[in-house]
Amino acid sequence: MAEPRPPRNLPPLSLHVPEPRFRPGDAVDFAQFDRGAAGAVARPDTAVAAADIRDLPYALIRVLDDEGRAKGPWDPRLDPDRLRAMLRHMALTRAFDDRMYRAQRQGKTSFYMKCTGEEATSVGAAHALDQEDMCFPSYRQQGLLIARGWPIGDMMCQIYSNSGDRLKGRQMPIMYSAREAGFFSISGNLATQYPQAVGFAMASAAKGDSRIAASWVGEGSTAEGDFHSACTFASVYRAPVILNIINNQWAISSFSGFAGAEATTFAARAIGYGIAGLRVDGNDILAVYAATLWAAERARGNFGPTIIEHFTYRAEGHSTSDDPSKYRSADERAAWPLGDPVARLKQHLIGLSEWDEERHAAMDREVAEHVRDEGRKAEALGTLHDGLSQPFTTMFEDVFEEQPWHLKEQSEQMQAERKAAGI
Amino acid sequence: MNMIQAINSALDIVMGRDPDIVVLGEDVGYFGGVFKATEGLQARHGKARVFDTPISECGIIGVAVGMATYGLRPVPEIQFADYIYPALDQLVSEAARLRYRSAGEYTAPITVRTPFGGGIFGGQTHSQSPEGIFTHVAGLKTVIPSNPYDAKGLLIAAIEDNDPVIFFEPKRIYNGPFDGHYDRPVTPWSKHPQSAVPEDYYRIPLGQAKVVREGEAVTLLCYGTMVHVALGVAEETGADVEIIDLRTLVPLDIATIEESVRKTGRCIVLHEATRTGGFGAELAALVQERCFYALEAPVERVTGWDTPYPHSLEWAYFPGPVRLTQALKRVMES
Ligand SMILES: Cc1ncc(C[n+]2csc(CCOP(=O)(O)OP(=O)(O)O)c2C)c(N)n1
């Protein structure tokens, strides 16, 4: 191409390409990060107009302080049984992740994704929602199923694509579907579930039902068009939906700056759409619970949608195909200023004299054993590479409700060819 | 070089020669891409020429069209071909038609690189072969290499081409040729003659197929991973097969195809994509239109089935040696 125009006595433009603060080898310092104080953010009435809470998306709702004490108006004041249940669900999610991660490393399945460090964002939300509410998750919300009491053996069979897999071995590991648990079928295509959640919520409203919907995306995925379509529809129809953004700081190797984090918060996306926006400490399960409950009440009261940004950290790699040491400082995880969600709830419960180290150790043992036992049962039904777990002809089922001629023919052709080849 | 290194080398060389070439896409910058195809490029050519993008395929292609309008030659990466659909409107309605609708006033010389195809247990959202969707669009060129040498030469030609090109990279053969025998170890490209890739600049013109094996009895039309399946089956069965690696689907090298089918009188088209409405249907129609009186048997299609790619049964989906061998038998017997 031609050289740029001759200078018009104007300064040259320059392209800004965001750069994360820490790369491999860098020492990490989060001193500049303003967490705000636990309990400092006001809790508006759930009927409040979105226009009246435009400051909230820039604050960080925190309930638990550094000593694990619950503070301020967002403290949901849960009874100890509920707190212990949430703690167990987080611990179970973590144990499940560890076991399945190892299973992938042992070659028993093709792929796995952990949610380590983010357990509170889905477990807390699941506890605040009603069992009947519909979830449109992304791939890192295994905590929803676990907190809804879905059998982890069933999840494992899906991961192994074995004969116990209700999805007939079709989906990649972790791409669960559990209609009975109000858990939508997971897609590998980012952000696609967001407008679907809005549509579900619109339908529920149109029918005069009382169920609401919730969806989850990573902060990286907020750049997809589907995210913005969802927000527009949610706003226009005042859909009873909770739109969660899990800001775990990293989208594979790209830090949140590539989704726009240098300019504003993700919760503040809400403002332009006229939606209520909350930003919560995603490693504080009480804050997650409280924000979700607030948004659910708002939706149930016909006051419209809420966007919740959960500010958290992806402690492990993106997936089993990823090596985070190639793009971020190894110190980030340890230096993360919002701590570990399991440790924080544990500390809180101990502070309330409702828990102790012994019980915690016993719980960790119990969940590990549970995972191990269920893992053995699932493995007895086969693992991915045992092969033949699903009859081959199942491949041609469910493309349509009724099998058209061409799929019948293809199914028969496949069987004939295999027979002729002696396999 | 393996295929990824060849692609990396192509990018590096053209960027060195032409300061208007820019590389953009999810994770392509500092990290060098999830498949490592852009590794080291940012360090060598700078952040304004190799950069990460937001996760927005529609944004990536739309921005590329705008950059091309300024005069740059963007080479966007779509991380997996399965994720090209959000960008479809920008590709189909904008990039592909810009030259036509503006009578040449504007053009979109962009080359969209994207890994495609199955065989890596990627399930239904990391395995698709959407080439047929793009060959159906007027104004887009579609290129699919089958080995490191071609990948480099074709990619350079694609980037230097003044029209929008979709460059599909068969990810199953990034590291070595794959003949469809999933239970046998794959020989890496380093032990293969086509890995002898020159370090320097060279191009392989778009629109030229390559006869990769000569034969008299039947013509096999294929591209990408399927070239190696075809070669494997030819060797195993000893059939007198002529194998043509199409390399470019649009524009298509029809002369080489016609010549071969006239010689052999039989034709099989082989691709991994679903059958109905696939590029194989186009090839079969072309052969039938142009070589009807030379044909001794109906043109046979060997393809993936008309189902999404099933995770655990991917080897039953993949059109491997079993399916191709049976088709060969049918064609030879009729
Ligand atoms: C439409 C689409 N584009 C690209 C990808 C590839 N991809 C898978 S996960 C991912 C990063 C997502 O990051 P984020 O939304 O922040 O979620 P996180 O993984 O951090 O939970 C990318 C780019 C995809 N799955 N779908």
Side-chain angles (χ1 to χ4, degrees):
Chain A
M1 66 169 287
E3 284 302 299
R5 290 162 195 274
R8 285 183 294 157
N9 217 8
L10 294 173
L13 299 167
S14 67
L15 183 67
H16 172 69
V17 179
E19 193 55 48
R21 287 179 61 210
F22 317 113
R23 285 296 193 188
D26 290 347
V28 166
D29 177 8
F30 283 112
Q32 276 176 25
F33 172 59
D34 180 13
R35 300 184 294 168
V41 178
R43 183 184 186 280
D45 189 84
T46 53
V48 69
D52 293 339
I53 51 167
R54 286 188 187 147
D55 52 334
L56 275 185
Y58 301 103
L60 192 64
I61 297 168
R62 301 178 60 214
V63 173
L64 291 172
D65 68 9
D66 287 345
E67 278 72 50
R69 288 179 302 239
K71 292 208 164 142
W74 288 92
D75 176 5
R77 299 172 187 281
L78 298 174
D79 66 63
D81 283 340
R82 171 73 81 158
L83 294 173
R84 281 187 289 261
M86 296 200 308
L87 185 67
R88 184 176 177 281
H89 287 146
M90 284 201 286
L92 180 55
T93 303
R94 190 164 289 185
F96 176 76
D97 272 358
D98 284 342
R99 170 105 192 173
M100 298 324 290
Y101 182 87
R102 266 187 285 127
Q104 193 277 340
R105 286 294 186 251
Q106 292 161 354
K108 292 174 184 165
T109 187
S110 58
F111 179 82
Y112 192 72
M113 280 174 128
K114 289 177 145 187
C115 68
T116 312
E118 303 171 35
E119 292 89 348
T121 60
S122 45
V123 172
H127 278 267
L129 292 170
D130 285 353
Q131 194 82 10
E132 289 70 38
D133 294 334
M134 184 68 190
C135 297
F136 290 80
S138 179
Y139 47 65
R140 225 183 280 284
Q141 277 76 50
Q142 50 268 55
L144 287 177
L145 275 178
I146 288 174
R148 283 192 164 182
W150 195 254
I152 59 166
D154 184 83
M155 297 164 72
M156 290 167 162
C157 289
Q158 195 284 318
I159 289 164
Y160 290 138
S161 281
N162 65 16
S163 60
D165 175 11
R166 292 176 301 104
L167 310 184
K168 305 186 189 177
R170 289 177 184 150
Q171 277 274 56
M172 253 176 103
I174 70 155
M175 301 271 172
Y176 316 107
S177 180
R179 193 180 176 118
E180 261 184 81
F183 188 96
F184 189 65
S185 155
I186 295 176
S187 172
N189 299 48
L190 297 170
T192 46
Q193 72 280 9
Y194 237 50
Q196 297 160 357
V198 175
F200 185 98
M202 285 168 63
S204 184
K207 282 283 193 185
D209 194 352
S210 60
R211 304 170 67 187
I212 63 169
S215 191
W216 285 260
V217 284
E219 87 290 343
S221 304
T222 61
E224 291 285 5
D226 279 2
F227 173 87
H228 302 277
S229 310
C231 291
T232 304
F233 276 71
S235 169
V236 167
Y237 298 102
R238 240 175 262 172
V241 66
I242 305 174
L243 298 171
N244 294 286
I245 301 167
I246 307 297
N247 179 3
N248 65 7
Q249 313 303 321
W250 290 91
I252 312 189
S253 76
S254 305
F255 85 114
S256 56
F258 283 102
E262 286 185 336
T264 184
T265 68
F266 291 96
R269 298 283 186 274
I271 294 172
Y273 293 103
I275 296 176
L278 305 178
R279 188 161 171 265
V280 303
D281 174 348
N283 289 11
D284 173 351
I285 197 164
L286 297 187
V288 170
Y289 180 98
T292 307
L293 193 67
W294 186 91
E297 277 178 23
R298 185 171 171 81
R300 289 188 216 292
N302 277 312
F303 302 115
T306 304
I307 288 178
I308 306 177
E309 173 184 352
H310 302 260
F311 199 79
T312 180
Y313 188 75
R314 193 192 78 211
E316 297 272 354
H318 171 76
S319 73
T320 42
S321 313
D322 179 45
D323 176 3
S325 72
K326 290 281 191 315
Y327 53 78
R328 67 182 189 188
S329 169
D331 297 343
E332 265 191 21
R333 174 180 182 167
W336 184 246
L338 297 174
D340 171 69
V342 179
R344 284 174 71 187
L345 181 58
K346 170 188 171 191
Q347 186 191 21
H348 175 62
L349 268 163
I350 291 177
L352 294 175
S353 305
E354 293 288 348
W355 198 239
D356 52 54
E357 292 291 350
E358 262 165 48
R359 274 195 276 181
H360 195 83
M363 176 193 71
D364 275 344
R365 268 196 310 277
E366 181 260 318
V367 294
E369 275 163 27
H370 179 53
V371 168
R372 193 194 55 212
D373 294 346
E374 291 299 309
R376 283 186 184 148
K377 280 188 242 164
E379 284 178 32
L381 298 175
T383 57
L384 176 62
H385 299 289
D386 301 343
L388 301 181
S389 298
Q390 304 288 336
F392 282 72
T393 49
T394 61
M395 189 163 64
F396 297 93
E397 296 166 4
D398 306 315
V399 182
F400 301 104
E401 187 175 12
E402 277 174 38
Q403 202 174 51
W405 67 267
H406 69 289
L407 286 171
K408 263 189 210 119
E409 253 186 42
Q410 289 177 21
S411 178
E412 282 157 16
Q413 185 188 334
M414 185 189 68
Q415 292 173 75
E417 282 172 358
R418 298 184 69 84
K419 206 168 152 201
I423 44 176
Chain B
M1 288 185 199
N2 67 28
M3 202 133 142
I4 294 172
Q5 292 159 332
I7 287 160
N8 186 273
S9 167
L11 290 167
D12 192 27
I13 288 171
V14 291
M15 292 192 84
R17 288 163 64 104
D18 180 352
D20 290 334
I21 292 170
V22 293
V23 165
L24 64 158
E26 295 157 20
D27 300 292
V28 304
Y30 181 90
F31 189 53
V34 294
F35 289 103
K36 292 289 163 206
T38 57
E39 189 157 42
L41 296 179
Q42 187 177 68
R44 283 199 291 283
H45 303 285
K47 278 208 300 183
R49 293 186 63 201
V50 183
F51 50 87
D52 290 332
T53 61
I55 303 175
S56 170
E57 290 74 16
C58 146
I60 293 168
I61 303 300
V63 158
V65 171
M67 294 179 126
T69 300
Y70 178 84
L72 301 187
R73 281 183 183 275
V75 187
E77 175 181 295
I78 299 294
Q79 201 159 72
F80 284 87
D82 311 67
Y83 303 137
I84 211 162
Y85 304 116
L88 212 56
D89 190 43
Q90 284 290 341
L91 281 167
V92 173
S93 317
E94 306 302 320
R97 295 181 202 160
L98 200 50
R99 178 188 295 282
Y100 193 77
R101 77 187 194 205
S102 69
E105 205 169 54
Y106 293 105
T107 60
I110 65 184
T111 300
V112 183
R113 291 183 37 250
T114 186
F116 87 122
I120 60 152
F121 284 102
Q124 36 115 27
T125 60
H126 298 86
S127 309
Q128 292 163 75
S129 298
E131 67 273 17
I133 292 174
F134 296 97
T135 58
H136 191 61
V137 174
L140 290 178
K141 292 182 176 170
T142 305
V143 180
I144 304 177
S146 70
N147 60 70
Y149 181 86
D150 284 4
K152 179 167 172 181
L154 287 167
L155 182 56
I156 292 178
I159 295 172
E160 292 180 349
D161 194 282
N162 286 329
D163 286 310
V165 179
I166 318 251
F167 191 87
F168 284 108
E169 298 168 7
K171 59 178 151 345
R172 187 64 180 82
I173 56 170
Y174 266 155
N175 296 312
F178 175 67
D179 62 9
H181 286 288
Y182 59 90
D183 41 1
R184 295 186 199 159
V186 171
T187 328
W189 281 117
S190 57
K191 302 210 171 101
H192 196 277
Q194 276 161 328
S195 67
V197 176
E199 294 289 335
D200 316 332
Y201 176 94
Y202 65 93
R203 338 169 11 139
I204 295 175
L206 306 187
Q208 287 186 10
K210 187 175 174 201
V211 179
V212 293
R213 182 186 197 274
E214 290 189 13
E216 300 293 329
V218 54
T219 300
L220 234 163
L221 304 178
C222 51
Y223 47 88
T225 306
M226 290 299 132
V227 172
H228 304 283
V229 174
L231 284 166
V233 166
E235 196 163 305
E236 282 157 31
T237 60
D240 192 9
V241 185
E242 177 142 305
I243 299 174
I244 299 181
D245 177 356
L246 297 175
R247 303 202 289 199
T248 310
L249 306 191
V250 179
L252 184 69
D253 181 357
I254 191 70
T256 300
I257 296 173
E258 273 188 52
E259 195 187 325
S260 175
V261 176
R262 289 228 167 80
K263 178 176 76 174
T264 61
R266 291 183 161 83
C267 180
I268 296 177
V269 297
L270 171 65
H271 65 57
E272 198 183 320
T274 48
R275 168 176 305 216
T276 301
F279 193 68
E282 176 62 29
L283 289 170
L286 279 171
V287 167
Q288 184 273 141
E289 277 167 5
R290 289 164 177 260
C291 309
F292 184 73
Y293 294 107
L295 284 174
E296 287 165 40
V299 181
E300 172 86 51
R301 277 182 292 167
V302 180
T303 68
W305 307 119
D306 284 329
T307 73
Y309 225 111
H311 174 251
S312 68
L313 293 179
E314 65 171 23
W315 298 123
Y317 179 92
F318 187 88
V322 170
R323 210 171 307 161
L324 181 55
T325 306
Q326 302 290 326
L328 256 179
K329 241 188 233 155
R330 282 194 298 271
V331 170
M332 298 307 292
E333 279 162 11
S334 67

